Amino acid sequence: MEVPDVSVVVIAYNDAERLPTAVQSVLDQTLHSVEVVIVDDCSKDDTFEVAQALAAGTPDRVRAFQLPQNSGGCGAPRNFGIQRATGTYVMFLDSDDVLERNACRNMLDAAQSTGSDLVSGLCVRVHLDSRNKKTTEWYPWLYSQTRTIESITELSDLLVFDTLSTNKCYRREFLIEQGLEFPVGIHYEDLLFSAQAYVAASRITLIPNHVYYWNVQESAASKSISNRRHEIANFVHRMEIHRRVDALLESKGYDELKYRKDIKFLKHDLVLHLRDLPLLGDDYRREFAELANGYLAEIDPKAYEEVQRMHAICAFLLSKEDWHNLLPATDALTNPGRLTVPLAERDGEVYWCAEHLDTERGRQILDVTPSRYDTRSLTSLALGNRLTSYSSDDGVVSLGGRVVNPLGRISPDAEISAVLEFSARRSVGGKTARIPVTTLRHAGAWIEWKGTADIARTVRPLGIIDAVWDVRLILTVDGQHIRTRVSVGGTPIDEADSLRIRPRLTKLVSDRFVPEVTKKGNLSYVLAAEGKAAVHTTAMIEGAMHGRTAQLAKTSLRRLLKAKKDLNSGETKLRVYHEFYSKLPIRKGLVVFESHLGKQYSDSPKAIYEEMRRQGVAFEAVWSYAGAKPTGFPEDATLVKRWSWQYLRALAQAEFWIDNQGFPLRLTKRPGTTYIQTWHGTALKRMGFDEPNTKSRGLAAQASFQQALDRFDHFLIRGEHDRRTLARGFRLREEVLLPVGYPRNDDLAEARRKEAETGHRDRGALAAELGIDPEKKVLLYAPTFRAAPGGKVRAFQAPFDVEEFAERFGDTHTLLIRTHYLNSVSLPPSVRGRVIDVSSHHDITPLLALADGLITDYSSVMFDYGLLDRPMIFFTYDYDEYSKENRGTYFDLKERAPGPVVGTEEELFGVIANFKDEADTKFAAARQRFNTEFSEYDRGDAARQIVAKFFTRSGK
């Protein structure tokens, strides 16, 4: 056999069943010059026999080896494989994972074209326990585009975050020459090997292609080594590996890399173990603290300022071994936003606890004043509710607990009452059970409660779909309802102590309620079956889907459709959507697009749609529209009116939802549908749960809002600012974020590129359409939304005299006014031709490209226009009202605006009169900084990336 281009080292231990699939994923590579080197780590089952059979079946491409004794880790078999590999390049594959079909070809092409020692691609985690094998990309922002770096110092995030060895291709001579080997006899070997490879490589290339599918099975009987965090040896190994990596970085003088790694340790590595502490014993905690604190003492104190407050608080309390305050803090880590302690107040500042405030460092870290626990309404706080007792007897369960009373805000004379609520996580008509508590009393820093529930009498599940039931305490304080999840804490729960239950689909479906502690440490119950119920459950499900039950459902629907009186009511439509349309099969290739609640054909959904058309993607397009008639929408798509029956059915059967604001909040997204939320602007104004109005809503409304946000499978961001603001405000999971930029801005990035190359600005057909004199400068005024008192939409009145503008500047300038899509404007006839209302134009992007300058206030359009590197003026006549009394902002616009900030008409006209100096030249550097800070992922290829990722064969 000729020297193969790539050797894939496949390591295995007691994995005879999955090994053939892993090996086949290598043999099926589109690059044929690939060999497989199987290294069995002295398995106790027949794994090696399977490996030998695979080698015998393809002797020219597969070789099998076995270590003489088990090494207990991944290092030894991989090192052995490196020595036996004959390929020019080496890759690693675990026997329970697979390679993407083009992985070797894409890696090889990148390595050969760049001469890199190391090529890294995108790893995808496949969650085998999820219903649809949900996938999440591993730190995808690192792989948004192909790029080559000459030193790891150019991209510190690569070493800090992507520590895998399996999504990489190494030049074999590089490994041999550098003496790179995995450490043996210690776990987390990837962290050290990857760090050594990154530091040693003279050139590293990243490619945006999927290369490795990492199969994750959290419910596996045998936990992987890295998931055995309850074993202290696991943490010992982690600490040892971190010290070795630190020593490597320090030897190279890579202080910045070490600092970034310290930050990640505080907010990731340490957190993984902290979350388990409430479930572990005192001996473990003492040993854990000794190990961790020795390492924390070496971390740069400034790193604490770079992480979330709760991460810093937990690390600090751990360093003090203050278990009394630390364990509630770990609960808050697991359940972000939950307030688990009574707090302390000193000199007008609010602290996590009353201890450790005698030092400046303690006060600094424990200060939680910005969270406004002392001023926010009680209903906006997620109050911690910890179980203190639990027992069951003959189907009756007795529970006791205590709810945090922060800063004593629930006064002793407050009128309080409470009920225990048992509710199905997936409701199909099941009735929520609410049981009054038997004891409720004010206990200073806590509200203590006890309750008893006869489960068999009060909880009546359907029996199939509503398999998981959560427990909440609803505390009513002076008429305000506060919903709290019941956290188990350290209270023992015997999961073997099940309760008898009577499902409405009879005991043949399920007959037991088993207490369970969720991943977040909360109490829940799971339906289970034993005896005859276990035997007949499968048959019952089949009957429900295809038998008489299904026929009854169809009959019920026909009757429902005959009820014309309420056919078009919102509740009826919701019911039909969930009970019938959502049972119809998903239609592959059906994509529903929506922009600004159906009001426009615009924005990123439009850009993605048009890119799909450009590339000839085969798909069925549906666009939603609002209003009586759709105007300006594409003719080659099916148009459906928002909230119509056709709209609901399309959403129920769609393979993809794509919009920039939000499909109706009460419509549940089906598991087989992928929701791509492009969003419609970078945030200056506070959003989501950061917005005061959201915070003031009751817990039920907030929970409903969060449920709607949790529908997003992918959420586009255009910079790290979005990660810190939008993602946090919407409480989005990290894996949901897609750092590719906004497709709507691809044209702006391209316009800027062409202008830089040619030195010429092409105004395009829109200027002629609007009748703009080629000799005139074009200014675009695009303010944010303005509402009348009570939130009603009103006609927008320009906050400056448009007739005065036309008189002073009409000979040299044309002013375009483009209001927010919820507003409208009326212009006097006297300004015709000099001031033009362009609000009816669906898509603002061509208007931005046309404009020589932008006038705005707080609108997110500023971030988009920044891509053009053209001057901006910020007319903020109501700045104090808007930033302080309205929604609030994430940063002070006056300090960071890339253009003059003016507050009066006179100042505005003065800047326009001296436009070149006052708005352009003086702020050139500020525009560059602004663009770098807020638009780092907008590179002009967002639509292409989305289409490649989701809609073309090469992207799957």
Side-chain angles (χ1 to χ4, degrees), residues 331-567:
D331 186 10
L333 266 186
T334 305
N335 299 275
R338 180 178 290 179
L339 178 58
T340 55
V341 293
L343 304 175
E345 188 171 9
R346 298 287 188 276
D347 301 323
E349 302 295 316
V350 179
Y351 299 95
W352 183 255
C353 57
E355 293 74 24
H356 320 296
L357 302 181
D358 53 341
T359 66
E360 182 179 353
R361 180 167 174 76
R363 292 190 295 273
Q364 179 184 23
I365 292 179
L366 296 172
D367 188 350
V368 293
T369 306
S371 296
R372 297 176 46 236
Y373 292 127
D374 55 332
T375 59
R376 288 162 52 190
S377 65
L378 285 172
T379 56
S380 72
L381 300 178
L383 298 183
N385 183 2
R386 191 169 183 178
L387 205 63
T388 55
S389 63
Y390 180 93
S391 63
S392 64
D393 181 31
D394 195 26
V396 177
V397 61
S398 298
L399 308 95
R402 59 181 191 175
V403 180
V404 169
N405 182 11
L407 301 172
R409 292 184 59 188
I410 303 175
S411 64
D413 57 353
E415 185 177 338
I416 59 175
S417 61
V419 294
L420 278 170
E421 178 185 85
F422 293 77
S423 60
R425 196 170 295 174
R426 296 183 67 206
S427 177
V428 286
K431 296 181 179 179
T432 296
R434 288 183 176 165
I435 303 144
V437 300
T438 54
T439 302
L440 183 68
R441 73 182 192 91
H442 193 290
W446 310 92
I447 304 296
E448 296 180 345
W449 59 270
K450 289 184 179 179
T452 301
D454 188 337
I455 296 296
R457 291 179 179 272
T458 56
V459 180
R460 293 299 307 277
L462 184 65
I464 293 179
I465 299 176
D466 52 350
V468 181
W469 289 64
D470 295 316
V471 182
R472 291 177 175 83
L473 181 90
I474 303 177
L475 179 66
T476 302
V477 179
D478 291 333
Q480 292 185 308
H481 304 300
I482 303 169
R483 295 170 62 85
T484 66
R485 284 299 303 269
V486 178
S487 172
V488 173
T491 301
I493 301 291
D494 187 357
E495 297 185 5
D497 189 9
S498 60
L499 306 167
R500 293 293 174 182
I501 199 76
R502 295 187 301 161
R504 283 180 289 150
L505 287 181
T506 81
K507 293 184 179 180
L508 291 179
V509 177
S510 54
D511 58 2
R512 290 185 301 145
F513 230 17
V514 180
E516 183 178 84
V517 181
T518 69
K519 290 180 181 178
K520 293 191 173 183
N522 300 316
L523 178 64
S524 67
Y525 288 88
V526 179
L527 289 175
E530 67 179 1
K532 292 182 179 180
V535 173
H536 291 288
T537 297
T538 302
M540 177 62 72
I541 293 173
E542 287 296 317
M545 296 300 293
H546 305 294
R548 188 165 180 265
T549 304
Q551 295 301 319
L552 288 173
K554 294 176 183 178
T555 301
S556 298
L557 178 65
R558 283 193 291 269
R559 291 174 180 171
L560 180 65
L561 294 176
K562 291 179 182 178
K564 295 182 179 180
K565 186 176 181 180
D566 65 342
L567 180 61

Side-chain angles (χ1 to χ4, degrees), residues 271-292:
V271 168
L272 288 175
H273 294 266
L274 285 173
R275 287 173 174 161
D276 293 330
L277 284 183
L279 306 176
L280 301 169
D282 292 341
D283 291 341
Y284 178 96
R285 292 174 190 166
R286 281 192 292 270
E287 193 169 354
F288 173 82
E290 182 179 354
L291 290 165

Side-chain angles (χ1 to χ4, degrees), residues 83-255:
Q83 297 302 319
R84 298 304 185 277
T86 62
T88 306
Y89 294 89
V90 176
M91 294 175 63
F92 302 105
L93 173 64
D94 293 346
S95 60
D96 52 348
D97 301 328
V98 294
L99 292 182
E100 194 277 334
R101 192 165 179 264
N102 299 291
C104 292
R105 180 179 297 280
N106 290 333
M107 293 278 210
L108 180 66
D109 288 347
Q112 290 180 333
S113 63
T114 63
S116 293
D117 295 322
L118 186 161
V119 176
S120 189
L122 192 52
C123 172
V124 179
R125 286 166 58 94
V126 182
H127 301 269
L128 300 179
D129 295 332
S130 63
R131 280 177 291 173
N132 294 297
K133 293 186 178 180
K134 178 183 175 182
T135 61
T136 55
E137 294 177 335
W138 187 254
Y139 299 112
W141 82 83
L142 293 170
Y143 299 95
S144 59
Q145 63 178 346
T146 300
R147 54 179 160 179
T148 299
I149 58 176
E150 306 295 328
S151 168
I152 189 59
T153 57
E154 297 178 30
L155 187 61
S156 60
D157 277 358
L158 186 59
L159 179 141
V160 171
F161 292 99
D162 189 358
T163 56
L164 300 178
S165 65
T166 47
N167 62 333
K168 298 173 176 59
C169 180
Y170 311 84
R171 187 167 58 84
R172 184 171 177 274
E173 286 187 7
F174 160 70
L175 297 179
I176 302 300
E177 290 169 358
Q178 296 293 329
L180 294 181
E181 290 186 338
F182 290 87
V184 177
I186 187 170
H187 305 320
Y188 301 104
E189 57 279 300
D190 270 19
L191 275 69
L192 181 57
F193 182 84
S194 295
Q196 292 172 330
Y198 284 143
V199 169
S202 59
R203 184 171 295 165
I204 301 169
T205 294
L206 309 184
I207 60 175
N209 309 81
H210 290 174
V211 298
Y212 194 91
Y213 292 110
W214 175 5
N215 291 323
V216 181
Q217 192 164 5
E218 295 181 0
S219 62
S222 177
K223 293 287 186 183
S224 66
I225 292 168
S226 59
N227 282 331
R228 299 175 196 162
R229 290 189 289 272
H230 60 284
E231 300 174 3
I232 195 64
N234 182 289
F235 192 61
V236 171
H237 287 204
R238 186 185 288 273
M239 290 294 90
E240 176 59 24
I241 286 292
H242 272 280
R243 290 186 184 279
R244 294 188 192 185
V245 174
D246 291 346
L248 170 68
L249 299 179
E250 290 169 1
S251 71
K252 298 292 183 179
Y254 291 163
D255 295 339

Side-chain angles (χ1 to χ4, degrees), residues 871-874 893-894 896-902 918-919 923 926-927:
M872 288 182 267
I873 304 171
F874 297 86
L893 180 63
K894 289 183 177 180
R896 295 160 78 175
V901 179
V902 296
E918 292 299 319
F923 288 88
R927 289 197 300 272

